[in-house]
mmCIF file of all heavy atoms in Angstrom:
data_model
loop_
_atom_site.group_PDB
_atom_site.id
_atom_site.type_symbol
_atom_site.label_atom_id
_atom_site.label_comp_id
_atom_site.label_asym_id
_atom_site.label_seq_id
_atom_site.Cartn_x
_atom_site.Cartn_y
_atom_site.Cartn_z
ATOM 1 N N ASN A 409 96.859 16.491 74.512
ATOM 2 C CA ASN A 409 96.177 16.296 73.260
ATOM 3 C C ASN A 409 97.189 16.193 72.092
ATOM 4 O O ASN A 409 97.101 15.315 71.255
ATOM 5 C CB ASN A 409 95.324 17.545 72.967
ATOM 6 C CG ASN A 409 93.829 17.204 73.103
ATOM 7 O OD1 ASN A 409 93.539 15.965 73.069
ATOM 8 N ND2 ASN A 409 93.059 18.156 73.207
ATOM 9 N N ASP A 410 98.178 17.176 72.138
ATOM 10 C CA ASP A 410 99.201 17.276 71.123
ATOM 11 C C ASP A 410 100.073 15.983 71.078
ATOM 12 O O ASP A 410 100.348 15.370 70.029
ATOM 13 C CB ASP A 410 100.107 18.426 71.513
ATOM 14 C CG ASP A 410 100.090 19.400 70.354
ATOM 15 O OD1 ASP A 410 99.369 19.234 69.398
ATOM 16 O OD2 ASP A 410 100.845 20.435 70.440
ATOM 17 N N ILE A 411 100.513 15.533 72.319
ATOM 18 C CA ILE A 411 101.344 14.371 72.368
ATOM 19 C C ILE A 411 100.514 13.095 71.909
ATOM 20 O O ILE A 411 101.035 12.201 71.186
ATOM 21 C CB ILE A 411 101.890 14.141 73.707
ATOM 22 C CG1 ILE A 411 102.796 15.383 74.216
ATOM 23 C CG2 ILE A 411 102.916 12.976 73.844
ATOM 24 C CD1 ILE A 411 103.054 15.449 75.622
ATOM 25 N N GLY A 412 99.263 13.076 72.394
ATOM 26 C CA GLY A 412 98.483 11.901 72.037
ATOM 27 C C GLY A 412 98.368 11.839 70.464
ATOM 28 O O GLY A 412 98.486 10.698 70.001
ATOM 29 N N ARG A 413 98.262 12.914 69.835
ATOM 30 C CA ARG A 413 98.035 12.905 68.406
ATOM 31 C C ARG A 413 99.457 12.324 67.736
ATOM 32 O O ARG A 413 99.473 11.513 66.855
ATOM 33 C CB ARG A 413 97.778 14.253 67.883
ATOM 34 C CG ARG A 413 96.454 14.313 67.058
ATOM 35 C CD ARG A 413 96.136 15.660 66.591
ATOM 36 N NE ARG A 413 96.040 16.616 67.634
ATOM 37 C CZ ARG A 413 96.428 17.863 67.669
ATOM 38 N NH1 ARG A 413 97.103 18.324 66.658
ATOM 39 N NH2 ARG A 413 96.305 18.632 68.739
ATOM 40 N N GLY A 414 100.565 12.882 68.324
ATOM 41 C CA GLY A 414 101.877 12.408 67.820
ATOM 42 C C GLY A 414 102.067 10.931 68.137
ATOM 43 O O GLY A 414 102.659 10.274 67.232
ATOM 44 N N LEU A 415 101.584 10.533 69.182
ATOM 45 C CA LEU A 415 101.769 9.139 69.639
ATOM 46 C C LEU A 415 101.038 8.228 68.665
ATOM 47 O O LEU A 415 101.556 7.157 68.256
ATOM 48 C CB LEU A 415 101.216 8.937 71.089
ATOM 49 C CG LEU A 415 101.752 7.753 71.846
ATOM 50 C CD1 LEU A 415 103.259 7.703 71.863
ATOM 51 C CD2 LEU A 415 101.217 7.644 73.173
ATOM 52 N N THR A 416 99.841 8.673 68.208
ATOM 53 C CA THR A 416 99.052 7.834 67.287
ATOM 54 C C THR A 416 99.914 7.709 65.987
ATOM 55 O O THR A 416 99.929 6.676 65.380
ATOM 56 C CB THR A 416 97.734 8.514 66.968
ATOM 57 O OG1 THR A 416 97.088 8.986 68.199
ATOM 58 C CG2 THR A 416 96.776 7.649 66.228
ATOM 59 N N LYS A 417 100.439 8.848 65.592
ATOM 60 C CA LYS A 417 101.270 8.852 64.406
ATOM 61 C C LYS A 417 102.395 7.822 64.491
ATOM 62 O O LYS A 417 102.654 7.069 63.571
ATOM 63 C CB LYS A 417 101.822 10.325 64.175
ATOM 64 C CG LYS A 417 101.175 10.957 62.990
ATOM 65 C CD LYS A 417 102.040 12.190 62.702
ATOM 66 C CE LYS A 417 101.469 12.939 61.487
ATOM 67 N NZ LYS A 417 102.238 14.042 61.124
ATOM 68 N N MET A 421 103.375 4.514 62.295
ATOM 69 C CA MET A 421 104.612 4.283 61.710
ATOM 70 C C MET A 421 105.264 3.027 62.183
ATOM 71 O O MET A 421 105.819 2.236 61.351
ATOM 72 C CB MET A 421 105.617 5.489 62.131
ATOM 73 C CG MET A 421 105.253 6.707 61.465
ATOM 74 S SD MET A 421 106.577 7.925 61.991
ATOM 75 C CE MET A 421 105.712 9.455 61.577
ATOM 76 N N GLN A 539 106.331 17.443 74.780
ATOM 77 C CA GLN A 539 105.653 18.237 73.747
ATOM 78 C C GLN A 539 106.581 19.026 72.820
ATOM 79 O O GLN A 539 106.489 19.019 71.602
ATOM 80 C CB GLN A 539 104.586 19.163 74.340
ATOM 81 C CG GLN A 539 103.662 19.706 73.204
ATOM 82 C CD GLN A 539 102.942 20.934 73.756
ATOM 83 O OE1 GLN A 539 103.232 21.514 74.816
ATOM 84 N NE2 GLN A 539 101.820 21.264 73.052
ATOM 85 N N MET A 542 108.567 16.576 70.622
ATOM 86 C CA MET A 542 107.662 15.754 69.616
ATOM 87 C C MET A 542 107.987 16.034 68.150
ATOM 88 O O MET A 542 108.131 15.130 67.313
ATOM 89 C CB MET A 542 106.259 15.971 69.923
ATOM 90 C CG MET A 542 105.480 15.023 70.713
ATOM 91 S SD MET A 542 106.070 13.317 70.668
ATOM 92 C CE MET A 542 104.751 12.469 70.052
ATOM 93 N N PRO A 543 108.110 17.254 67.713
ATOM 94 C CA PRO A 543 108.221 17.575 66.374
ATOM 95 C C PRO A 543 109.550 16.759 65.820
ATOM 96 O O PRO A 543 109.611 16.253 64.676
ATOM 97 C CB PRO A 543 108.403 19.117 66.172
ATOM 98 C CG PRO A 543 107.822 19.593 67.394
ATOM 99 C CD PRO A 543 107.887 18.625 68.489
ATOM 100 N N MET A 544 110.682 16.892 66.590
ATOM 101 C CA MET A 544 111.916 16.317 66.199
ATOM 102 C C MET A 544 111.775 14.773 66.247
ATOM 103 O O MET A 544 112.347 14.194 65.281
ATOM 104 C CB MET A 544 112.994 16.725 67.160
ATOM 105 C CG MET A 544 113.759 17.973 66.701
ATOM 106 S SD MET A 544 112.902 19.498 67.222
ATOM 107 C CE MET A 544 113.438 19.654 68.864
ATOM 108 N N ILE A 546 109.017 12.970 65.659
ATOM 109 C CA ILE A 546 108.207 12.638 64.563
ATOM 110 C C ILE A 546 109.029 12.705 63.269
ATOM 111 O O ILE A 546 108.992 11.870 62.392
ATOM 112 C CB ILE A 546 106.933 13.595 64.497
ATOM 113 C CG1 ILE A 546 106.129 13.379 65.713
ATOM 114 C CG2 ILE A 546 106.257 13.281 63.205
ATOM 115 C CD1 ILE A 546 104.952 12.538 65.608
ATOM 116 N N MET B 67 103.068 26.017 70.890
ATOM 117 C CA MET B 67 103.313 25.671 69.474
ATOM 118 C C MET B 67 102.649 24.283 69.318
ATOM 119 O O MET B 67 102.520 23.557 70.180
ATOM 120 C CB MET B 67 104.647 25.649 69.153
ATOM 121 C CG MET B 67 105.448 24.622 69.849
ATOM 122 S SD MET B 67 107.222 25.056 70.070
ATOM 123 C CE MET B 67 107.590 24.475 71.567
ATOM 124 N N SER B 68 102.239 24.115 68.049
ATOM 125 C CA SER B 68 101.761 22.777 67.797
ATOM 126 C C SER B 68 102.885 21.751 67.666
ATOM 127 O O SER B 68 103.921 21.963 67.208
ATOM 128 C CB SER B 68 100.933 22.767 66.469
ATOM 129 O OG SER B 68 100.568 21.518 66.117
ATOM 130 N N SER B 69 102.597 20.544 68.234
ATOM 131 C CA SER B 69 103.703 19.549 68.236
ATOM 132 C C SER B 69 103.909 18.850 66.983
ATOM 133 O O SER B 69 105.043 18.403 66.743
ATOM 134 C CB SER B 69 103.167 18.614 69.297
ATOM 135 O OG SER B 69 104.023 18.139 70.012
ATOM 136 N N VAL B 70 102.880 18.622 66.337
ATOM 137 C CA VAL B 70 103.008 17.766 65.011
ATOM 138 C C VAL B 70 103.147 18.607 63.944
ATOM 139 O O VAL B 70 102.330 19.465 63.492
ATOM 140 C CB VAL B 70 101.678 16.923 64.934
ATOM 141 C CG1 VAL B 70 101.829 15.969 63.744
ATOM 142 C CG2 VAL B 70 101.384 16.193 66.219
ATOM 143 N N PRO B 71 104.307 18.551 63.308
ATOM 144 C CA PRO B 71 104.669 19.454 62.128
ATOM 145 C C PRO B 71 103.726 19.103 60.977
ATOM 146 O O PRO B 71 103.390 17.985 60.786
ATOM 147 C CB PRO B 71 106.153 19.055 61.829
ATOM 148 C CG PRO B 71 106.392 17.772 62.360
ATOM 149 C CD PRO B 71 105.336 17.558 63.526
ATOM 150 N N ALA B 72 103.454 20.081 60.259
ATOM 151 C CA ALA B 72 102.675 19.863 59.017
ATOM 152 C C ALA B 72 103.548 18.939 58.143
ATOM 153 O O ALA B 72 104.734 19.197 57.865
ATOM 154 C CB ALA B 72 102.428 21.180 58.251
ATOM 155 N N SER B 73 102.983 17.795 57.846
ATOM 156 C CA SER B 73 103.791 16.760 57.136
ATOM 157 C C SER B 73 104.398 17.383 55.929
ATOM 158 O O SER B 73 103.825 18.066 55.143
ATOM 159 C CB SER B 73 102.907 15.588 56.888
ATOM 160 O OG SER B 73 102.034 15.903 55.841
#
Side-chain angles (χ1 to χ4, degrees):
Chain A
N409 251 348
D410 240 5
I411 302 164
R413 243 178 298 142
L415 200 57
T416 315
K417 253 193 180 182
M421 288 183 197
Q539 189 192 21
M542 261 335 239
M544 269 81 87
I546 298 261
Chain B
M67 64 206 144
S68 172
S69 216
V70 185
S73 69

